[in-house]
Each structure stands twice: as C-alpha cells, then as structure tokens.
Amino acid sequence: MTTTTLPTGATTATGRLPGAWGLGLRRGALEIRQFFRQREQVVFTFAFPVVFLFLFASIFSDDVKGAGITASQLYVPAMTAAGIMSTSFQSLGISIAIERDEKVLRRLRGTPMPPAAYFLGKIWLVLCTGVLETTVLLLVGISFYGVDLPSDPARWFDLAWIFVLGLTACALLGIAVSSVPRSGRSATSVVVLPFLVLQFISGVYIAIDTIPDWMLNIGALFPLKWMCQGLRGVFLPDSAQILEQAGRWEFGKVALVLGAWCVGGLVLCLLTFRWKNRREG
C-alpha cells in the first residue's frame, strides 16, 4: 500500500490525490493559518477601515437634509463595502504578486496540486476575512452610529447576494491585477492607488450628491460603487434614496453589474494570470 504526501501536508493511503475541491479546502485552511500568524498584517487589514470609519463618522456627524439619517450612518455601509474590497481585491492583488516574485507560485505549479486548488484556497481566505471585516464594521456601526440591522428577511437576502457577488468580483479582479506589477516590491503601489481613487469616486469618503457626475460615471464602471449603493439600500431607510444618483437603490442594476464583473473578472484571470514573473518569461 502506497502513501502519498500532499502539498498541504495531508496524506492518503490510496495513492491517489484528492480532487481540487478537497485540496482547495486544505489549502484554504493553510492560507487562513498563515494570515493570522502575521499579526501586523491582521491588525492593518481589520483596523484600517475601522479607523477610517471612526474618523469620517466622527468628523461628519450632522443630519443629512431630507434623507432621515446622519452622515455617520451614511459612512457605515460605504466603509463596509470598502472593507470587503480591501480584504479581496487589495489583499489578493498584493499577496499573489509577492508570492509570484518569491517563486512560491512556480514551486506550487510543479506539485501535483491542480491550479484550481490554489485559487480555491485564496477564495476561502478572502471569504473568512471578508466575513470578519464586515462583522466588525457592522458592530461598530450598530454600537456607535445608530445603524440598525435589517428587520425584513428580504433585506438579509439582499445583504447575502451583495456580499457574495461583490467579494467574488473583487477577488477575481485582485487575482487579475496581481499580474500587473513587475515585482513584488511594486505591488503595493500598483494595487493601492487605483483602489484609493475608486473609494473617492464611488461614494465611500464623499457623499454621492457632492461628486461630479463624470466622476460618478467612471466609478459606476467598477464594482465598488454598486456595492456601496446596495449596502446603503440594505441598512439605510428608503428616505435616503434621494442621495443616490438615480434617486433609488436599483438593486436589479446592482446585481447585474456585480454579476457582470464576476464573469469579466474570471475572463481577465484566465487571460492575464502568470505563474512566473516577467523577468523569467
């Protein structure tokens, strides 16, 4: 009887490797353990959006005229959307670029582990961190800024599909953009800059009704604007719809755009992803 050692440390007595799904679960567990062992990364990942929420919600706390909410409440869903994108797009865009530069991807490519298992492991990681980040931000919003959890089951359903579609779209974009930096050292600047710009033109830091239409139209091409809008529809009263560019939540359009980005992000991944950096060909 032969025993095969798996890339993630698991063994099987049958001599046959488990499928991509089983290996992806093991890879995901490994990714999560490695993430939480890096204390600085954990603190920065979870604290960054929370600190910004405290800052903006404390500075801008007046009532929003005609919307039936305070400016602080307006920031909670917006920062939650930014937190989801941070733990998916930004995290994967930087970490995969670094792993490629350090030849981690090249070594994994040479193991019996199928490529799909590597990506499944990353998805499990961003799912775990995304859920935790969202939970932390909502707890802050409920505890300090008077945001109420949805009382309607339909709104909980809206929260679920916005989270899943938004996280998936941003994760796929993060995998795709990881091929842009020429080295792991330049990954942070290449990934963070467009993410920062998107936050300003998507209604995260600045209210939608104060952003020029041409900027909003650019922001509307990307997932973050629609995640912000969808989450505002989940957590804010209908009176706040007057702040939106179209004057309504547009849940159908939110689903359409996020779903399109899931498909488009997958296509981009297939077309651009590389196991080796550009210097190695």
Side-chain angles (χ1 to χ4, degrees), residues 69-82:
I69 60 171
T70 64
S72 300
Q73 292 172 317
L74 192 61
Y75 279 111
V76 174
M79 289 306 304
T80 301

Side-chain angles (χ1 to χ4, degrees), residues 24 49 80 160 167 190 193 260:
T80 301
L167 186 78
V190 170
L193 178 59

Side-chain angles (χ1 to χ4, degrees), residues 17-58:
L17 289 172
W21 180 256
L23 285 173
L25 287 173
R26 293 183 175 92
R27 180 71 196 179
L30 177 63
E31 293 275 0
I32 293 169
R33 287 199 300 271
Q34 289 177 335
F35 173 80
F36 282 102
R37 285 172 182 168
Q38 300 174 16
R39 294 182 181 178
E40 295 85 356
Q41 182 181 2
V42 173
V43 171
F44 179 81
T45 299
F46 290 113
F48 187 81
V50 173
V51 169
F52 268 68
L53 174 58
F54 270 121
L55 288 174
F56 280 93
S58 300

Side-chain angles (χ1 to χ4, degrees), residues 50-118:
V50 173
V51 169
F52 268 68
L53 174 58
F54 270 121
L55 288 174
F56 280 93
S58 300
I59 296 171
F60 305 101
S61 57
D62 296 334
D63 291 340
V64 180
K65 186 178 180 180
I69 60 171
T70 64
S72 300
Q73 292 172 317
L74 192 61
Y75 279 111
V76 174
M79 289 306 304
T80 301
I84 293 171
M85 192 167 185
S86 173
T87 57
S88 51
F89 171 80
Q90 181 173 293
S91 175
L92 292 186
I94 295 172
S95 65
I96 294 177
I98 293 173
E99 289 177 2
R100 180 185 293 112
D101 201 44
E102 294 177 347
K103 298 181 173 58
V104 174
L105 297 188
R106 191 173 180 178
R107 291 194 295 271
L108 287 174
R109 190 76 170 106
T111 69
M113 183 180 73
Y118 171 77

